[in-house]
Amino acid sequence: MLVLLPPSEGKAASGRGAPLKPESLSLPGLAPARETVLGELVDLCAGDEEKAREVLGLSEGLRGEVAKNAELRTAGARPAGEIYTGVLYDALNLASLDTAAKRRAARSLLVFSGLWGAVRVTDRIPSYRCSMGVKLPALGALGAFWRAPMAEVLPEAAGGGLVLDLRSSAYAAAWKPAGEVAGRTATVRVLHAPTRKVVSHFNKATKGRIVRSLLAAGIAPAGPGELVEALRDLGYEVEAEAPAKAGKPWSLDVLVAEIH
């Protein structure tokens, strides 16, 4: 099973660990693209602060993120699972999983990123600010920039099992499973059952709980149909829609009665 996650806008501090070693990151086929984006981002943020803040879409209160980006090559690095914070990651709570579940997380979780393309939760990275919606002056929109490198690397990373896609639309634009891989991909929406609407906070929280439930139980469904049954066994109310034709992902709705 491969689980595709969005990053979080908010991130923990880098700390005082050893700096980034780009060659140590997973998915080495993304290395040239990572170096390109990293170089452009560091150069942008080491130059005109106001221009960098505008390009990155940062408010006045987040001005300090520009200086942080300028130091990415020398800043301390920590496992990505510790860097990413926010609602989904709080609900997932990787640190509290038992040893076996942490090993499963290391194998199956892939976090998409405007800067790194995609990383495993065990990859050591510095804290940064660069969403997939950013348009770097020399590269354009990062969602479009990443499509070609991702198309080369991600099909192999997907292996032969389920692909559980929990990304937001901005990050889904960087790689869309196609062909045989798409047929074993499931996308998930979380709906407030009484209103049948998506509410951002509990959508993220429930996705984090779903991943945690699967990891803690040691469940790795082979395909979308098995995922539906597994989630129902774990107590989730799931509505599933199989694709109308081959080569398309399944669509799953998880219904939640209470917003929390």
Coordinates of all heavy atoms in Angstrom, one line a residue, residues 195-259:
T195 N -25.1 17.0 6.5 CA -25.1 18.0 5.5 C -24.6 17.6 4.1 O -24.8 18.2 3.1 CB -24.4 19.3 5.9 OG1 -23.0 19.0 6.1 CG2 -24.9 19.8 7.2
R196 N -23.8 16.5 4.2 CA -23.1 15.9 3.0 C -22.1 17.0 2.4 O -21.9 17.0 1.2 CB -24.1 15.5 1.9 CG -25.2 14.6 2.3 CD -25.1 13.2 2.2 NE -24.3 12.6 1.2 CZ -23.9 11.4 1.2 NH1 -24.2 10.6 2.3 NH2 -23.2 10.8 0.2
K197 N -21.5 17.8 3.3 CA -20.6 18.8 2.9 C -19.2 18.4 3.4 O -19.1 17.8 4.4 CB -21.0 20.2 3.3 CG -22.2 20.7 2.7 CD -22.5 22.1 3.2 CE -23.8 22.7 2.5 NZ -24.1 24.0 3.1
V198 N -18.1 18.9 2.7 CA -16.8 18.7 3.1 C -16.5 19.9 4.0 O -16.7 21.1 3.6 CB -15.8 18.7 2.0 CG1 -14.3 18.7 2.5 CG2 -16.0 17.5 1.1
V199 N -16.0 19.7 5.2 CA -15.6 20.7 6.2 C -14.1 20.5 6.4 O -13.7 19.5 6.9 CB -16.4 20.7 7.5 CG1 -15.9 21.8 8.4 CG2 -17.9 20.8 7.2
S200 N -13.3 21.5 6.1 CA -11.8 21.4 6.0 C -11.2 20.7 7.2 O -10.5 19.8 7.1 CB -11.2 22.7 5.7 OG -9.8 22.6 5.7
H201 N -11.5 21.2 8.4 CA -10.9 20.7 9.6 C -11.1 19.3 9.8 O -10.1 18.5 10.0 CB -11.3 21.5 10.8 CG -10.7 21.1 12.1 ND1 -9.5 21.6 12.6 CD2 -11.0 20.1 13.0 CE1 -9.2 21.0 13.7 NE2 -10.1 20.1 14.0
F202 N -12.3 18.8 9.8 CA -12.5 17.4 10.2 C -12.3 16.5 9.0 O -12.1 15.3 9.1 CB -13.9 17.2 10.8 CG -15.1 17.0 9.9 CD1 -15.5 15.7 9.5 CD2 -15.8 18.1 9.4 CE1 -16.6 15.6 8.7 CE2 -16.9 17.9 8.6 CZ -17.3 16.6 8.2
N203 N -12.3 17.1 7.8 CA -11.8 16.3 6.6 C -10.4 15.9 6.8 O -10.0 14.7 6.7 CB -11.9 17.2 5.3 CG -11.3 16.6 4.1 OD1 -11.6 15.5 3.7 ND2 -10.4 17.3 3.5
K204 N -9.5 16.8 7.2 CA -8.1 16.5 7.4 C -7.9 15.6 8.6 O -7.1 14.7 8.6 CB -7.3 17.8 7.7 CG -7.3 18.7 6.4 CD -6.6 20.1 6.8 CE -6.6 21.0 5.6 NZ -6.0 22.3 5.9
A205 N -8.6 15.9 9.7 CA -8.5 15.1 10.9 C -8.9 13.7 10.7 O -8.2 12.7 11.1 CB -9.3 15.7 12.1
T206 N -10.0 13.5 10.0 CA -10.5 12.1 9.7 C -9.5 11.4 8.8 O -9.3 10.2 9.0 CB -11.9 12.1 9.1 OG1 -12.8 12.8 10.0 CG2 -12.4 10.7 8.9
K207 N -8.9 12.0 7.8 CA -8.0 11.4 7.0 C -6.8 10.9 7.8 O -6.2 9.8 7.6 CB -7.5 12.3 5.8 CG -8.6 12.4 4.7 CD -8.1 13.4 3.6 CE -9.2 13.5 2.5 NZ -8.8 14.4 1.5
G208 N -6.3 11.8 8.7 CA -5.2 11.4 9.6 C -5.6 10.1 10.4 O -4.8 9.2 10.6
R209 N -6.8 10.1 10.9 CA -7.3 9.0 11.7 C -7.4 7.7 10.9 O -7.1 6.6 11.4 CB -8.6 9.3 12.4 CG -8.6 10.4 13.4 CD -9.9 10.5 14.2 NE -9.9 11.7 15.0 CZ -10.6 12.9 14.7 NH1 -11.3 12.9 13.6 NH2 -10.5 13.9 15.5
I210 N -7.8 7.8 9.7 CA -7.9 6.7 8.8 C -6.6 6.0 8.6 O -6.4 4.8 8.7 CB -8.5 7.1 7.4 CG1 -10.0 7.3 7.6 CG2 -8.3 6.0 6.3 CD1 -10.7 7.9 6.3
V211 N -5.6 6.9 8.3 CA -4.2 6.3 8.1 C -3.7 5.7 9.3 O -3.1 4.6 9.3 CB -3.3 7.4 7.6 CG1 -1.8 6.9 7.4 CG2 -3.7 8.0 6.2
R212 N -3.9 6.4 10.5 CA -3.5 5.8 11.7 C -4.1 4.4 12.0 O -3.5 3.5 12.4 CB -3.8 6.8 12.9 CG -3.3 6.3 14.2 CD -3.6 7.2 15.4 NE -3.2 6.6 16.6 CZ -1.9 6.7 17.1 NH1 -1.0 7.3 16.4 NH2 -1.6 6.1 18.2
S213 N -5.4 4.4 11.8 CA -6.2 3.1 12.0 C -5.6 2.0 11.2 O -5.4 0.8 11.7 CB -7.6 3.3 11.6 OG -8.3 4.2 12.5
L214 N -5.3 2.2 9.9 CA -4.7 1.2 9.0 C -3.3 0.8 9.5 O -3.0 -0.4 9.5 CB -4.7 1.7 7.6 CG -6.0 1.9 6.9 CD1 -5.8 2.6 5.6 CD2 -6.8 0.6 6.7
L215 N -2.5 1.7 9.8 CA -1.2 1.4 10.3 C -1.2 0.7 11.6 O -0.4 -0.3 11.8 CB -0.3 2.7 10.4 CG 0.0 3.5 9.2 CD1 0.6 4.8 9.5 CD2 0.9 2.7 8.2
A216 N -2.0 1.1 12.5 CA -2.0 0.5 13.8 C -2.5 -0.9 13.8 O -2.1 -1.8 14.5 CB -2.9 1.3 14.8
A217 N -3.5 -1.2 12.9 CA -4.1 -2.5 12.7 C -3.2 -3.4 11.9 O -3.5 -4.6 11.8 CB -5.5 -2.4 12.2
G218 N -2.2 -2.9 11.2 CA -1.4 -3.7 10.3 C -2.2 -4.1 9.1 O -1.9 -5.2 8.5
I219 N -3.1 -3.3 8.6 CA -3.9 -3.6 7.4 C -3.3 -3.0 6.2 O -3.1 -1.7 6.2 CB -5.4 -3.2 7.6 CG1 -6.0 -3.9 8.8 CG2 -6.2 -3.5 6.4 CD1 -7.3 -3.4 9.2
A220 N -3.1 -3.7 5.2 CA -2.6 -3.2 3.9 C -3.4 -3.8 2.8 O -3.0 -4.8 2.1 CB -1.1 -3.6 3.7
P221 N -4.5 -3.2 2.5 CA -5.4 -3.7 1.5 C -4.7 -3.8 0.1 O -3.9 -2.9 -0.2 CB -6.6 -2.7 1.4 CG -6.5 -2.0 2.7 CD -5.1 -1.9 3.1
A222 N -5.1 -4.8 -0.7 CA -4.4 -5.0 -2.0 C -5.1 -4.1 -3.0 O -4.4 -3.8 -4.0 CB -4.5 -6.4 -2.4
G223 N -6.3 -3.6 -2.8 CA -7.0 -2.8 -3.8 C -8.1 -2.0 -3.2 O -8.4 -2.2 -2.0
P224 N -8.8 -1.2 -3.9 CA -9.8 -0.3 -3.4 C -11.0 -1.1 -2.7 O -11.5 -0.7 -1.7 CB -10.3 0.5 -4.6 CG -9.1 0.5 -5.5 CD -8.4 -0.8 -5.3
G225 N -11.4 -2.2 -3.3 CA -12.5 -3.0 -2.8 C -12.1 -3.5 -1.4 O -12.9 -3.5 -0.4
E226 N -10.9 -4.0 -1.2 CA -10.4 -4.5 0.1 C -10.4 -3.3 1.1 O -10.6 -3.5 2.3 CB -9.1 -5.2 0.0 CG -9.2 -6.5 -0.6 CD -7.8 -7.3 -0.5 OE1 -7.0 -6.9 0.4 OE2 -7.6 -8.2 -1.3
L227 N -10.0 -2.1 0.6 CA -9.9 -0.9 1.5 C -11.3 -0.6 2.0 O -11.4 -0.3 3.2 CB -9.4 0.2 0.7 CG -9.4 1.6 1.4 CD1 -8.5 1.6 2.6 CD2 -9.0 2.7 0.5
V228 N -12.3 -0.6 1.2 CA -13.7 -0.3 1.7 C -14.1 -1.3 2.8 O -14.6 -0.9 3.8 CB -14.7 -0.5 0.5 CG1 -16.1 -0.3 1.0 CG2 -14.4 0.6 -0.6
E229 N -13.8 -2.6 2.6 CA -14.2 -3.6 3.6 C -13.3 -3.3 4.9 O -13.9 -3.4 6.0 CB -13.9 -5.0 3.1 CG -14.9 -5.4 1.9 CD -16.3 -5.2 2.3 OE1 -16.7 -5.6 3.4 OE2 -17.1 -4.6 1.5
A230 N -12.1 -3.0 4.7 CA -11.2 -2.8 5.9 C -11.7 -1.6 6.7 O -11.7 -1.6 7.9 CB -9.8 -2.6 5.5
L231 N -12.0 -0.5 6.0 CA -12.5 0.7 6.7 C -13.8 0.4 7.4 O -14.0 0.9 8.6 CB -12.6 1.9 5.8 CG -11.3 2.4 5.2 CD1 -11.6 3.6 4.2 CD2 -10.4 2.9 6.3
R232 N -14.7 -0.3 6.8 CA -15.9 -0.6 7.5 C -15.7 -1.5 8.7 O -16.3 -1.3 9.8 CB -16.9 -1.3 6.5 CG -17.4 -0.4 5.4 CD -18.2 -1.1 4.3 NE -18.8 -0.1 3.4 CZ -19.3 -0.4 2.2 NH1 -19.2 -1.7 1.8 NH2 -19.8 0.5 1.4
D233 N -14.8 -2.4 8.6 CA -14.4 -3.3 9.8 C -13.8 -2.4 10.9 O -14.0 -2.8 12.1 CB -13.4 -4.4 9.4 CG -14.1 -5.5 8.5 OD1 -15.3 -5.5 8.4 OD2 -13.3 -6.2 7.9
L234 N -13.2 -1.3 10.5 CA -12.6 -0.5 11.5 C -13.6 0.5 12.1 O -13.2 1.4 12.9 CB -11.4 0.3 10.9 CG -10.1 -0.6 10.6 CD1 -9.1 0.2 9.8 CD2 -9.5 -1.0 12.0
G235 N -14.8 0.5 11.6 CA -15.8 1.3 12.2 C -16.2 2.6 11.4 O -17.0 3.4 11.9
Y236 N -15.6 2.7 10.2 CA -15.9 3.9 9.4 C -17.2 3.6 8.5 O -17.3 2.5 8.0 CB -14.8 4.3 8.5 CG -13.6 4.8 9.3 CD1 -12.5 3.9 9.7 CD2 -13.5 6.1 9.7 CE1 -11.4 4.3 10.4 CE2 -12.4 6.5 10.4 CZ -11.4 5.6 10.8 OH -10.3 6.1 11.5
E237 N -18.0 4.6 8.3 CA -19.1 4.5 7.4 C -18.6 5.0 6.0 O -18.2 6.2 5.8 CB -20.3 5.4 7.8 CG -21.5 5.3 6.9 CD -22.7 6.1 7.4 OE1 -22.6 6.7 8.5 OE2 -23.7 6.2 6.7
V238 N -18.6 4.1 5.1 CA -18.0 4.4 3.8 C -19.0 4.1 2.6 O -19.7 3.1 2.6 CB -16.7 3.4 3.5 CG1 -16.1 3.8 2.2 CG2 -15.8 3.6 4.7
E239 N -19.0 5.0 1.7 CA -19.8 4.8 0.4 C -18.7 4.8 -0.7 O -17.9 5.7 -0.7 CB -20.8 6.0 0.2 CG -21.9 6.0 1.2 CD -22.8 7.2 1.0 OE1 -22.5 8.0 0.1 OE2 -23.9 7.3 1.7
A240 N -18.8 3.8 -1.5 CA -17.8 3.6 -2.5 C -18.4 3.6 -3.9 O -19.5 3.1 -4.1 CB -17.1 2.3 -2.3
E241 N -17.7 4.2 -4.9 CA -18.1 4.2 -6.2 C -17.0 3.7 -7.1 O -15.9 4.3 -7.3 CB -18.5 5.6 -6.7 CG -19.0 5.7 -8.1 CD -19.4 7.1 -8.5 OE1 -19.6 8.0 -7.6 OE2 -19.5 7.4 -9.7
A242 N -17.2 2.5 -7.7 CA -16.2 1.9 -8.6 C -16.2 2.7 -9.9 O -17.2 3.3 -10.3 CB -16.5 0.5 -8.9
P243 N -15.1 2.8 -10.5 CA -15.0 3.6 -11.8 C -15.9 3.0 -12.9 O -16.1 1.7 -12.9 CB -13.5 3.5 -12.2 CG -13.0 2.4 -11.4 CD -13.8 2.2 -10.2
A244 N -16.4 3.8 -13.7 CA -17.2 3.3 -14.8 C -16.5 2.6 -15.9 O -17.0 1.7 -16.6 CB -18.0 4.5 -15.5
K245 N -15.2 2.9 -16.0 CA -14.3 2.1 -17.0 C -13.0 1.9 -16.4 O -12.6 2.6 -15.4 CB -14.3 2.9 -18.3 CG -13.7 4.3 -18.2 CD -13.7 4.9 -19.6 CE -13.2 6.4 -19.5 NZ -13.2 7.0 -20.8
A246 N -12.2 1.0 -17.0 CA -10.9 0.6 -16.5 C -10.0 1.8 -16.6 O -10.1 2.7 -17.5 CB -10.3 -0.5 -17.3
G247 N -9.0 1.9 -15.7 CA -8.0 2.9 -15.8 C -8.4 4.2 -15.1 O -7.7 5.2 -15.3
K248 N -9.4 4.1 -14.3 CA -9.8 5.3 -13.5 C -9.8 4.9 -12.0 O -10.1 3.8 -11.6 CB -11.2 5.7 -13.9 CG -11.4 6.2 -15.4 CD -10.6 7.5 -15.6 CE -10.8 7.9 -17.0 NZ -10.0 9.2 -17.3
P249 N -9.6 5.9 -11.1 CA -9.6 5.6 -9.7 C -11.0 5.4 -9.1 O -12.0 5.9 -9.7 CB -8.9 6.8 -9.1 CG -9.2 7.9 -10.0 CD -9.2 7.3 -11.4
W250 N -11.0 4.7 -8.0 CA -12.2 4.6 -7.2 C -12.4 5.9 -6.4 O -11.5 6.5 -6.1 CB -12.1 3.4 -6.2 CG -12.3 2.1 -6.8 CD1 -11.6 1.6 -7.9 CD2 -13.2 1.0 -6.4 NE1 -12.0 0.3 -8.1 CE2 -12.9 -0.1 -7.2 CE3 -14.1 0.9 -5.3 CZ2 -13.6 -1.3 -7.0 CZ3 -14.7 -0.3 -5.1 CH2 -14.5 -1.4 -6.0
S251 N -13.7 6.2 -6.1 CA -14.0 7.3 -5.3 C -14.7 6.8 -4.0 O -15.7 6.1 -4.1 CB -15.0 8.3 -6.0 OG -14.3 8.8 -7.2
L252 N -14.2 7.2 -2.9 CA -14.7 6.8 -1.6 C -15.2 8.0 -0.8 O -14.4 9.0 -0.7 CB -13.7 6.0 -0.7 CG -13.5 4.5 -0.9 CD1 -13.1 4.2 -2.4 CD2 -12.5 4.0 0.0
D253 N -16.3 7.9 -0.2 CA -16.8 9.0 0.7 C -16.9 8.4 2.1 O -17.5 7.3 2.3 CB -18.2 9.5 0.3 CG -18.2 10.4 -0.9 OD1 -17.1 10.9 -1.2 OD2 -19.3 10.6 -1.5
V254 N -16.2 9.0 3.1 CA -16.3 8.6 4.5 C -17.2 9.6 5.2 O -17.0 10.8 5.1 CB -14.9 8.5 5.1 CG1 -15.0 8.2 6.6 CG2 -14.0 7.5 4.4
L255 N -18.3 9.1 5.8 CA -19.3 9.9 6.4 C -19.0 10.0 7.9 O -18.9 9.0 8.6 CB -20.7 9.4 6.1 CG -21.1 9.1 4.7 CD1 -22.5 8.6 4.6 CD2 -20.9 10.4 3.9
V256 N -19.0 11.2 8.4 CA -18.7 11.5 9.8 C -19.9 12.3 10.4 O -20.3 13.3 9.8 CB -17.4 12.3 10.0 CG1 -17.1 12.6 11.4 CG2 -16.3 11.5 9.3
A257 N -20.5 11.8 11.5 CA -21.6 12.5 12.0 C -21.3 13.7 12.8 O -22.1 14.7 12.8 CB -22.4 11.5 12.9
E258 N -20.2 13.7 13.5 CA -19.8 14.9 14.3 C -18.6 15.6 13.8 O -17.6 14.9 13.3 CB -19.6 14.4 15.8 CG -20.8 13.8 16.4 CD -20.5 13.4 17.9 OE1 -19.4 13.6 18.3 OE2 -21.4 12.9 18.5
I259 N -18.6 16.9 13.9 CA -17.4 17.6 13.5 C -16.5 17.8 14.7 O -16.8 18.4 15.7 CB -17.8 19.1 13.0 CG1 -18.7 18.9 11.8 CG2 -16.6 19.9 12.7 CD1 -19.2 20.2 11.2

